Amino acid sequence: MDQILFKHNRPDRVISFDEYCAESGFRALRKALTGMSPEEVQQATIDSGMRGRGGAGFPTGKKWSFVPRDLPGPRYLICNCDEMEPGTYKDRVLLEKNPYLLIEGMALAGYALGVEHAFIFIRRGYELAAENLRRGIVEAERAGFLGRDILNSGFSLSLEVHQSAGRYICGEETALMNALEGRRANPRAKPPFPAVKGLWGQPTVVNNVETLANIPAIIDKGPAWWKSQAATPDAAGTKLFCISGHVSITDCFELPLGMTLGEIIDGPCGGMRNGSNFKACIPGGASTPYFTKEHWNVPMDFDPVAKAGSRLGTGGIVVFDHNTCMVAVTLNLVRFFARESCGWCTPCREGLPLVQHILERIEAGYGEPPDIDILHEHVRHLNHAFCALAPGAMGPVDGLLRHFKDELSEHISGKCCPFRRDTTHTC
Ligand SMILES: Cc1cc2nc3c(=O)[nH]c(=O)nc-3n(C[C@H](O)[C@H](O)[C@H](O)COP(=O)(O)O)c2cc1C
Ligand code: SF4
């Protein structure tokens, strides 16, 4: 496999504009604007099999094809760099090393979609990434890769960096659009979907940083080459996996999509830390149900992970060793989601704090057997909330109930956390 997204990375600094250009940077944009129609760029993206890297894995070219070509008024492209999912830091790493891949990818996507004005919605706190992007946009404008009549093609595109006010819900694409419009960041009802009625009521495509940063390689080297960089024939391309937790090496790695969980942990991560044993992991960011040792050989690709009962999500893998209390892990995650609920609808606003309260009780040794039924009920009900935050919040709870029911019951029957002997009650 060739590196696609990290190919230009310098170990200790961001790549410069001149270095990027010298290493075939903006070649794909030149190729598209001088020899391909917008429809051909879109078709190449469809043919590549690219699925969105922001969490849901929706096919990128297909999403672009939903944008109506005949509606009057502007269309918009938004790059989603909110990245507040715990365990996920790949977009930050990418932009701190190389902002130009995203800028070129957005120019290509803008050309395919007929967009003249695009936004990069970036998490507050990602100061270095935002600074790199602002500088990169000015450099690309000066060199004629952005702005009016790019490379004399008649295509014009301006890019604007917008720093988010900093809430997890701002990453949900419709809440993000409300935030960009200056409104409270509540999700909108779907349909209508953003591709038809999005920012200021106009057709809008929202894509993740990693998704858009892959487009130059798809155009430059062709969709078949890009697809073949995966580990299995069913997968397409590479994936940024950001790893944290109890492994020897924690980092963000670009790996072939479809490597198994075990290959990732024993390979680039150097195995478990200090010879400890693998107990479980969050496979794709905090909103995904746990994997256990039984999932060691599951290919880390969208469909196999879904078939095994979880989601590839963002590729943020958090690994836990045998000394970890999964009730405590779940409580920690639920606390985050309860705090980040936007409060718009009752089941999520009231339900998540209740789930948090129940887990706190169980962890402290005050749990009762009916608590487990209440947790099950909330997993069922919150799956039908207004937006995907609530079902995502219940992902770890669902995983806890499916894979660690004995551990949960042990907390309740023993009246304490078996991993911490200092709780109120003694085991
Ligand atoms: C609560 C919540 C937070 C989200 N945060 C992000 C985010 O930070 N970045 C992102 O790309 N997608 C995020 N998403 C998914 C977006 O709504 C959207 O599906 C994604 O940006 C589409 O990009 P893609 O098709 O390239 O994956 C979030 C979704 C939810 C429900
Ligand atoms: S499910 Fe939660 S985050 Fe989503 S709209 Fe309802 S209250 Fe807001």
Side-chain angles (χ1 to χ4, degrees):
M1 171 216 106
D2 284 0
Q3 297 267 298
I4 296 172
L5 300 173
F6 284 176
K7 152 174 132 173
H8 306 278
N9 283 6
R10 302 323 197 233
D12 52 348
R13 62 175 173 86
V14 61
I15 186 174
S16 74
F17 180 75
D18 289 344
E19 286 169 333
Y20 181 68
C21 290
E23 293 174 17
S24 73
F26 292 103
R27 188 166 73 188
L29 183 63
R30 199 178 287 279
K31 177 179 174 183
L33 295 190
T34 54
M36 293 173 81
S37 67
E39 291 75 18
E40 285 171 327
V41 174
Q42 181 173 303
Q43 190 57 47
T45 308
I46 293 173
D47 294 343
S48 72
M50 156 60 83
R51 295 177 65 169
R53 293 343 195 198
F58 195 83
T60 306
K62 191 170 169 189
K63 184 190 276 192
W64 294 2
S65 73
F66 294 151
V67 173
R69 299 258 157 200
D70 47 357
L71 284 183
R75 295 166 211 149
Y76 295 109
L77 169 68
I78 303 173
C79 170
N80 190 343
C81 185
D82 199 55
E83 195 163 69
M84 272 190 68
E85 176 98 354
T88 305
Y89 53 93
K90 65 190 179 67
D91 297 340
R92 176 178 61 75
V93 170
L94 188 54
L95 293 175
E96 287 185 353
K97 292 285 185 186
N98 182 355
Y100 307 108
L101 267 180
L102 175 63
I103 291 170
E104 186 176 2
M106 289 188 75
L108 285 162
Y111 177 63
L113 293 162
V115 163
E116 291 198 348
H117 196 74
F119 297 89
I120 302 168
F121 188 93
I122 188 164
R123 172 180 173 173
R124 188 158 292 279
Y126 278 16
E127 297 299 334
L128 178 57
E131 189 188 310
N132 287 348
L133 281 168
R134 288 201 180 94
R135 190 184 55 251
I137 289 169
V138 171
E139 290 166 322
E141 278 170 355
R142 281 199 193 122
F145 297 129
L146 285 178
R148 295 223 63 77
D149 192 18
I150 300 170
L151 302 174
N152 301 316
S153 64
F155 165 61
S156 303
L157 179 74
S158 62
L159 282 191
E160 192 174 318
V161 176
H162 177 97
Q163 278 190 281
S164 151
R167 295 307 301 263
Y168 176 58
I169 194 61
C170 290
E172 196 282 334
E173 58 185 6
T174 59
L176 183 158
M177 291 188 296
N178 275 340
L180 257 186
E181 289 180 12
R183 301 168 195 272
R184 181 175 161 172
N186 291 132
R188 299 176 183 175
K190 289 192 258 188
F193 289 95
V196 177
K197 196 171 176 198
L199 195 62
W200 292 297
Q202 293 299 124
T204 303
V205 165
V206 182
N207 275 136
N208 175 255
V209 174
E210 186 186 349
T211 309
L212 290 164
N214 268 295
I215 307 299
I218 292 172
I219 300 304
D220 185 33
K221 298 210 169 179
W225 177 88
W226 185 86
K227 194 171 185 192
S228 71
Q229 301 310 301
T232 67
D234 294 332
T238 63
K239 177 82 194 80
L240 297 183
F241 288 99
C242 32
I243 322 278
S244 49
H246 302 146
V247 287
S248 298
I249 304 166
T250 54
D251 205 344
C252 181
F253 302 102
E254 180 174 13
L255 301 172
L257 191 63
M259 271 177 84
T260 65
L261 176 64
E263 284 167 344
I264 294 175
I265 293 178
D266 278 342
C269 297
M272 293 300 291
R273 197 174 62 187
N274 299 332
S276 59
N277 296 323
F278 174 85
K279 177 173 182 177
C281 74
I282 293 169
S287 57
T288 59
Y290 304 122
F291 267 3
T292 62
K293 193 77 192 179
E294 74 181 87
H295 303 105
W296 196 248
N297 294 320
V298 172
M300 295 300 283
D301 180 22
F302 295 97
D303 291 339
V305 172
K307 207 167 152 208
S310 189
R311 289 189 304 113
L312 184 71
T314 59
I317 302 178
V318 187
V319 180
F320 306 109
D321 72 10
H322 63 285
N323 289 316
T324 312
C325 170
M326 297 310 291
V327 176
V329 170
T330 311
L331 168 60
N332 193 28
L333 295 171
V334 168
R335 268 195 192 120
F336 167 82
F337 290 116
R339 194 190 69 209
E340 293 295 328
S341 164
C342 82
W344 186 251
C345 51
T346 312
C348 172
R349 186 186 60 238
E350 306 296 328
L352 293 182
L354 178 62
V355 172
Q356 176 186 330
H357 174 69
I358 288 171
L359 289 171
E360 274 166 356
R361 240 180 22 205
I362 295 172
E363 179 64 6
Y366 294 101
E368 300 288 342
D371 286 344
I372 295 184
D373 298 329
I374 300 174
L375 291 178
H376 272 297
E377 249 173 62
H378 277 74
V379 170
R380 259 199 317 276
H381 290 315
L382 287 176
N383 256 329
H384 306 290
F386 189 68
C387 86
L389 185 145
M394 298 314 284
V397 182
D398 181 26
L400 181 73
L401 290 165
R402 276 194 281 135
H403 302 301
F404 298 102
K405 202 158 185 177
D406 289 350
E407 198 167 307
L408 204 46
S409 302
E410 208 183 330
H411 277 73
I412 294 173
S413 60
K415 298 208 171 299
C416 75
C417 170
F419 295 87
R420 285 171 42 208
R421 304 286 159 175
D422 58 344
T423 42
T424 314
H425 302 258
T426 46
C427 286

